[in-house]
């Protein structure tokens, strides 16, 4: 099987080559470019394409891939909002994802971001390096005793709740239309409505997938129902937050702090070096200007364990599909 590997970085090729080992059934072509309708031509002669969160697998790209003979689309991530699943089904391209890869990695990062915002690590570090040892402006707050609200309780949300409830003795509440039966074992208590969580939580951490029903779940209305001084953290998908509403809330001093590992228009900048460029995205530039906002470049997943898990699962998906066997990680369009 020949695989065209889009948005490839050195760490991707290293992890996949390590998982591949001495096997001879797969041949990789690692491509730095992102998948889109134009670059899909590069997949000619390949049986499968492997892509990531910011690749464009919309209808136009899928049609070109189909013309090049591509049969499988392997996502090396959990999210599939960048794939036109109906078009893929129409063209006979089978799509598979990696539904879970070291959920501890993202959960630990989310808690780390909460700690950073609560105790201002990110502000202390550059000051001390410059010889400024004053504590002015670094006053923090305990997580112990605070009410933390989780929006979404999949594997990542549950682990985040466990760390905060059992490790920090925070009161952890959650909202999820599909509650986990074992949530109580993680120290999590559900509320009936999202509004209940918004009004009670001192800290809100988002862990739900990006679906039509969850797009901009954080918007002007939901922000208005949050506590003044709330800490908001998003390590899930950028489209869950309405950026315009977020900026409006920040300007109104609604938030104590905001942590974002994702951004709804991140595809133009994330996973690239733009340090020598002028950022043309006015919303991103505005967010970076707020001293209460901490943004990282979609790195919550980025651990050795997670990369190994992604590679193993992705290769397993492709080998299963190549054999014509049923793959448990196939993603199908919703009716």
């Amino acid at each position: 099987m020949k695989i065209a590997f889009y948005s490839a970085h050195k760490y991707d090729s290293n992890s996949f080559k390590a998982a591949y080992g001495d096997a001879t059934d797969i041949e990789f072509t690692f491509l730095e470019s992102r998948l889109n309708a134009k670059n899909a031509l590069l997949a000619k002669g390949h049986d499968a394409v492997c892509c990531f969160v910011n690749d464009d697998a919309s209808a136009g790209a899928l049609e070109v891939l189909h013309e090049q003979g591509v049969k499988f689309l392997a996502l090396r991530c959990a999210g599939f909002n960048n794939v036109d699943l109906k078009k893929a089904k129409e063209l006979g391209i089978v799509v598979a994802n990696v539904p879970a890869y070291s959920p501890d990695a993202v959960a630990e990062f989310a808690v780390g971001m909460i700690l950073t915002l609560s105790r201002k690590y990110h502000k202390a570090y550059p000051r001390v390096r410059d010889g400024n040892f004053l504590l002015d402006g670094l006053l923090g707050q305990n997580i112990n005793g605070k009410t933390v609200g989780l929006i979404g309780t999949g594997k990542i949300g549950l682990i985040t709740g466990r760390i905060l409830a059992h490790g920090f003795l925070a009161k952890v509440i959650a909202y999820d239309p599909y509650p986990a039966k074992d949530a109580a074992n993680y120290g999590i208590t559900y509320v009936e409505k999202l509004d209940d969580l918004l009004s009670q939580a001192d800290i809100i951490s988002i862990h739900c997938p990006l679906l039509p029903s969850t797009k901009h779940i954080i918007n002007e209305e939901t922000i208005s129902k949050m506590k003044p001084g709330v800490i908001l953290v998003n390590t899930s998908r950028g489209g869950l937050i309405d950026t315009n509403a977020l900026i409006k809330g920040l300007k109104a001093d609604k938030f104590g702090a905001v942590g974002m590992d994702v951004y709804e228009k991140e595809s133009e900048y994330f996973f690239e070096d733009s340090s020598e460029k002028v950022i043309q995205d006015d919303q991103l530039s505005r967010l970076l200007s707020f001293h209460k906002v901490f943004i990282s470049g979609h790195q919550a997943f980025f651990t050795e364990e997670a990369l190994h898990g992604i590679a193993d699962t992705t290769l397993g998906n492709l080998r299963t599909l190549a054999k014509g066997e049923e793959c448990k990680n196939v993603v199908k369009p919703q009716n």
Side-chain angles (χ1 to χ4, degrees):
M1 173 182 283
K2 292 185 177 182
I3 304 172
F5 198 108
Y6 283 87
S7 297
H9 294 268
K10 185 176 180 179
Y11 51 79
D12 292 311
S13 60
N14 287 345
S15 62
F16 271 77
K17 287 176 180 177
Y20 179 66
D22 297 325
T24 58
D25 60 326
I26 292 177
E27 180 181 335
F28 293 105
T29 301
F30 291 103
L31 306 168
E32 293 184 5
S33 58
R34 291 177 178 174
L35 173 64
N36 54 41
K38 181 179 179 180
N39 292 331
L41 289 168
L42 299 174
K44 184 177 181 179
H46 293 79
D47 305 291
V49 158
C50 182
C51 61
F52 197 46
V53 292
N54 289 326
D55 286 303
D56 176 11
S58 57
L62 292 174
E63 287 176 352
V64 178
L65 291 178
H66 176 66
E67 292 170 0
Q68 308 313 308
V70 172
K71 306 179 186 68
F72 310 114
L73 180 64
L75 299 166
R76 55 184 191 276
C77 56
F80 47 84
N81 55 285
N82 57 330
V83 182
D84 188 330
L85 294 175
K86 290 184 178 179
K87 190 65 176 181
K89 182 179 180 181
E90 176 187 321
L91 296 171
I93 297 176
V94 182
V95 181
N97 71 340
V98 183
Y101 46 90
S102 186
D104 299 88
V106 182
E108 291 170 7
F109 191 91
V111 174
M113 187 167 271
I114 291 171
L115 275 170
T116 297
L117 296 171
S118 298
R119 299 308 304 272
K120 300 180 173 59
Y121 298 153
H122 58 311
K123 295 183 179 181
Y125 177 73
R127 283 170 55 163
V128 170
R129 286 181 62 86
D130 288 339
N132 181 355
F133 296 91
L134 289 174
L135 298 182
D136 297 356
L138 300 179
L139 183 64
Q141 55 181 294
N142 293 353
I143 296 175
N144 178 281
K146 294 294 188 298
T147 298
V148 181
L150 306 176
I151 301 178
T153 51
K155 291 182 179 180
I156 295 171
L158 289 174
I159 295 171
T160 302
R162 183 184 65 196
I163 296 171
L164 292 166
H166 295 170
F168 291 87
L169 301 183
K171 176 184 177 183
V172 180
I173 60 176
Y175 171 75
D176 194 318
Y178 307 98
K181 295 180 180 179
D182 58 345
N185 296 334
Y186 291 80
I188 299 171
T189 302
Y190 284 106
V191 294
E192 291 186 8
K193 301 177 180 179
L194 177 60
D195 287 359
D196 297 330
L197 182 148
L198 298 173
S199 64
Q200 296 177 38
D202 303 298
I203 301 167
I204 297 174
S205 189
I206 308 173
H207 300 284
C208 57
L210 178 58
L211 304 168
S213 59
T214 60
K215 182 176 175 61
H216 289 177
I217 193 171
I218 301 301
N219 52 55
E220 191 168 342
E221 180 183 357
T222 51
I223 289 173
S224 70
K225 296 175 181 178
M226 297 178 186
K227 282 185 173 183
V230 65
I231 292 176
L232 176 65
V233 167
N234 184 13
T235 55
S236 186
R237 287 291 181 268
L240 297 169
I241 296 180
D242 180 342
T243 306
N244 280 326
L246 179 65
I247 291 173
K248 185 175 180 179
L250 285 161
K251 290 171 70 175
D253 206 24
K254 178 71 173 183
F255 298 97
V258 174
M260 303 168 62
D261 187 51
V262 289
Y263 168 61
E264 66 175 327
K265 293 185 288 184
E266 68 178 56
S267 61
E268 293 297 318
Y269 294 99
F270 283 28
F271 305 109
E272 303 288 344
D273 182 3
S274 297
S275 59
E276 300 296 327
K277 303 176 183 177
V278 175
I279 294 179
Q280 299 296 327
D281 186 332
D282 291 341
Q283 289 185 326
L284 179 57
S285 295
R286 189 69 179 97
L287 287 172
L288 291 168
S289 74
F290 287 106
H291 71 278
K292 289 186 176 181
V293 175
F294 174 45
I295 299 178
S296 52
H298 206 135
Q299 73 178 84
F301 80 98
F302 197 55
T303 65
E304 294 178 3
E305 294 83 357
L307 289 181
H308 292 159
I310 289 170
D312 286 338
T313 302
T314 301
L315 292 176
N317 289 342
L318 288 168
R319 283 172 169 144
T320 299
L321 292 171
K323 295 176 183 177
E325 300 174 354
E326 183 178 355
C327 176
K328 64 180 181 179
N329 296 325
V330 166
V331 182
K332 299 179 180 179
Q334 296 180 337
N335 296 327

